[in-house]
Amino acid sequence: MRILLVEDEPTLRSQLQAMLEQGGYAVDAVADGIDARHLGETESYDAAVLDLGLPGLDGLSVLRAWRDKGRTLPVLILTARDRWSDKVTGIDSGADDYLTKPFHPEELLARVRALIRRAAGLVSPVLQAGPVVLDSRTGRVSCNDQPVTLTGHEFRVLEYLMHRPGAVVTRTELTEHIYAQDFERDSNTIEVFVGRLRRKLTPDLIETVRGRGYRLVSGP
């Protein structure tokens, strides 16, 4: 899963980026509204954390620009404003959730997880496909009730597929959603990660759909 983090305060931006990365996300972090608008319109993200008070272009203008372009990524707004009218304006501009500063970092992480789940039509933070269970709150994965250790990229591939059970996901789509922008991307490595997941979990968990991509099999 890939997150766009937009926060102009350097210390907070670094703290939030580190926390999101520790939560298993690939993170692109920017400090101004102009870069945020461009990335949100041109890159693939599973969610955005967007501060309102930004240089260059304010957060609400960024959000409206995304929505005007048809970008439907879930957006969590961060702001120091706590007036109800500001919250209404944010929601009416297309925000999916609203968090007022100061806040506890764990609350932000929980809200991001919830936004991504809702966007995928899921309710529980615990995802299951046959004998495989992934707890998005803790990052723990088990198979047949036995814990399984995954690398960061293996976890992101599995989590993305588990948020789209039964759907065919292309290698390009997976590549766009498991790597941050500044990471050297190679869609050929997706096949390597899928092969490792099959070995570590169960061989028939991920089906190769010839010429199209991969599909998570949620059988018994």
Side-chain angles (χ1 to χ4, degrees), residues 12-147:
L12 180 58
R13 184 174 64 252
S14 296
Q15 291 172 344
L16 294 179
Q17 181 173 3
M19 182 195 64
L20 287 164
E21 289 174 345
Q22 289 169 5
Y25 298 106
V27 181
D28 291 339
V30 296
D32 69 80
I34 295 174
D35 287 344
R37 175 176 177 171
H38 174 71
L39 286 175
E41 291 178 354
T42 59
E43 296 287 332
S44 297
Y45 294 102
D46 297 290
V49 177
L50 177 65
D51 186 36
L52 287 188
L54 297 171
L57 192 65
D58 68 271
L60 284 180
S61 296
V62 171
L63 178 55
R64 291 182 183 123
W66 289 345
R67 297 312 190 217
D68 287 345
K69 289 286 188 178
R71 304 297 282 180
T72 60
L73 74 162
V75 176
L76 170 63
I77 281 181
L78 302 182
T79 182
R81 312 169 191 169
D82 60 359
R83 294 183 303 177
W84 67 268
S85 57
D86 291 326
K87 296 180 181 181
V88 169
T89 301
I91 298 299
D92 283 345
S93 297
D96 298 275
D97 201 356
Y98 204 107
L99 193 56
T100 303
K101 300 176 182 178
F103 55 84
H104 196 288
E106 287 297 330
E107 180 180 2
L108 180 140
L109 197 56
R111 287 174 182 257
V112 168
R113 289 194 297 262
L115 286 180
I116 293 174
R117 286 200 310 272
R118 289 201 296 268
L122 302 173
V123 177
S124 173
V126 180
L127 310 178
Q128 184 164 4
V132 177
V133 176
L134 183 153
D135 190 331
S136 62
R137 298 165 301 186
T138 62
R140 293 173 181 164
V141 176
S142 64
C143 182
N144 293 312
D145 296 322
Q146 297 300 312

